[in-house]
Amino acid sequence: MAEAIKVPTMAEYMAEGKKPEVLFWVGCMGSFDDRAKKVTKAFVKLLSKAKVDFAVLGTEESCTGDPAKRSGNEFLFQMQAATNIEVLNGYEIEKIVTACPHCFNTIKNEYPELGGSYEVMHHTQFLKSLMEEGRLKVQGGKFKGKRITFHDPCYLGRANNEYEAPRDLLRKLEVELVEMKRCKSKGMCCGAGGGQMFKEPEKGNKDVNIARTEQAMETKPDVVAAGCPFCNTMMTDGVKGKNQEDNIQVKDVAEMIAEAEDL
């Protein structure tokens, strides 16, 4: 049974002459991928719990163009970006939060030169700010004492130098945070970046996601924490490839907070 979560659209806000505190950019994965939809729902529950006044674009939201650009189709990227910027500027959007580092990086760093300048936050950064403002309580629950390793998404970590927000949230859950040998600025891609998410890997000795999963498994984790829907998919596939899905969970940080709060 689907839970009734009210998520207002910008069009509805505009019709009432109101403006939300923040626009939640859902992204393609968060909208259409069944696994990523769970992260979207968990994040929305946390926003609602913190009484954040937010809205989404709904059907007016299109792909940021990240996969097209990374795959080499600059023309398609600029078309998609121009459409989105027109919509965002039409609503006079100032602040955007997204649970996808690819959307985060593209809107934050590549939209400004095309006419779209906004304050853009990754959902872990936003949740951390809510926690620091006392609007959201993050505390140990079902994950207390569990061994957790965090996989740094490329576009959050190395591309935007954000390593601490997700870890600060995990520490608040009172977990045992164990780092992989390759973490933070020395982190390794899950294998989905550069448009690879949407195609089969090139021939080689080992798939990247398997190599990264093996690095995670060295820490003997109960949970591999992620902050990106692409990473989540690749690490989940890696865990399944190693037949460890009964022993190791792969979860987004937002899901872990929502579950700890029993939302």
Side-chain angles (χ1 to χ4, degrees), residues 121-262:
M121 297 182 81
H122 184 252
H123 71 315
T124 58
Q125 294 175 323
F126 192 65
L127 289 171
K128 184 186 172 184
S129 72
L130 291 175
M131 181 182 76
E132 288 172 343
E133 289 165 18
R135 296 170 70 184
L136 181 69
K137 200 171 176 191
V138 180
Q139 59 188 11
K142 62 182 282 190
F143 298 105
K144 188 172 180 177
K146 292 270 175 77
R147 282 177 71 86
I148 314 289
T149 193
F150 180 70
H151 163 75
D152 289 283
C154 295
Y155 280 115
L156 182 64
R158 288 175 298 165
N160 286 285
N161 209 32
E162 178 60 82
Y163 302 109
E164 295 312 317
R167 288 175 171 82
D168 287 346
L169 291 167
L170 289 170
R171 287 188 194 101
K172 284 288 181 185
L173 291 175
E174 298 172 52
V175 305
E176 184 188 347
L177 191 59
V178 282
E179 297 287 2
M180 290 182 243
K181 283 182 187 142
R182 292 189 62 174
C183 65
K184 298 187 179 180
S185 61
K186 294 185 175 65
M188 179 173 151
C189 180
C190 69
Q196 297 285 343
M197 180 74 191
F198 305 100
K199 57 184 274 299
E200 290 302 312
E202 286 84 359
K203 283 192 167 48
N205 298 328
K206 187 184 286 183
D207 286 354
V208 176
N209 70 312
I210 297 296
R212 187 56 170 160
T213 301
E214 287 172 354
Q215 292 169 16
M217 284 170 60
E218 282 177 12
T219 68
K220 297 184 168 46
D222 296 308
V223 181
V224 176
C228 169
F230 289 2
C231 297
N232 200 314
T233 297
M234 299 304 268
M235 298 303 281
T236 299
D237 288 351
V239 168
K240 284 177 181 169
K242 290 287 181 181
N243 295 314
Q244 288 296 313
E245 62 264 47
D246 292 337
N247 305 317
I248 302 171
Q249 294 179 296
V250 180
K251 288 193 173 289
D252 188 273
V253 175
E255 289 181 300
M256 293 176 68
I257 297 170
E259 287 179 29
E261 291 286 317
D262 205 19

Side-chain angles (χ1 to χ4, degrees), residues 15-124:
E16 293 176 22
K18 292 195 303 186
K19 206 168 166 187
E21 177 185 344
V22 66
L23 173 78
F24 173 29
W25 185 277
V26 184
C28 299
M29 289 285 282
S31 300
F32 300 113
D33 179 80
D34 284 344
R35 176 65 188 88
K37 280 183 199 172
K38 293 177 181 175
V39 178
T40 302
K41 285 177 183 168
F43 184 55
V44 164
K45 285 177 183 174
L46 293 173
L47 291 177
S48 299
K49 184 175 167 60
K51 296 186 168 48
V52 175
D53 193 17
F54 74 101
V56 299
L57 285 175
T59 54
E60 291 185 278
E61 182 185 300
S62 175
C63 177
T64 59
D66 166 80
K69 188 177 181 77
R70 308 302 159 218
S71 305
N73 194 336
E74 181 68 23
F75 178 67
L76 178 57
F77 162 70
Q78 297 225 2
M79 280 176 57
Q80 290 181 294
T83 305
N84 286 323
I85 289 167
E86 192 177 349
V87 172
L88 291 168
N89 289 351
Y91 283 124
E92 298 177 352
I93 298 296
E94 292 170 11
K95 188 171 182 178
I96 298 172
V97 63
T98 179
C100 175
H102 294 254
C103 299
F104 165 72
N105 178 70
T106 303
I107 300 172
K108 179 175 185 277
N109 298 323
E110 289 163 353
Y111 275 22
E113 63 184 4
L114 299 171
S117 293
Y118 321 100
E119 181 190 350
V120 190
M121 297 182 81
H122 184 252
H123 71 315
T124 58

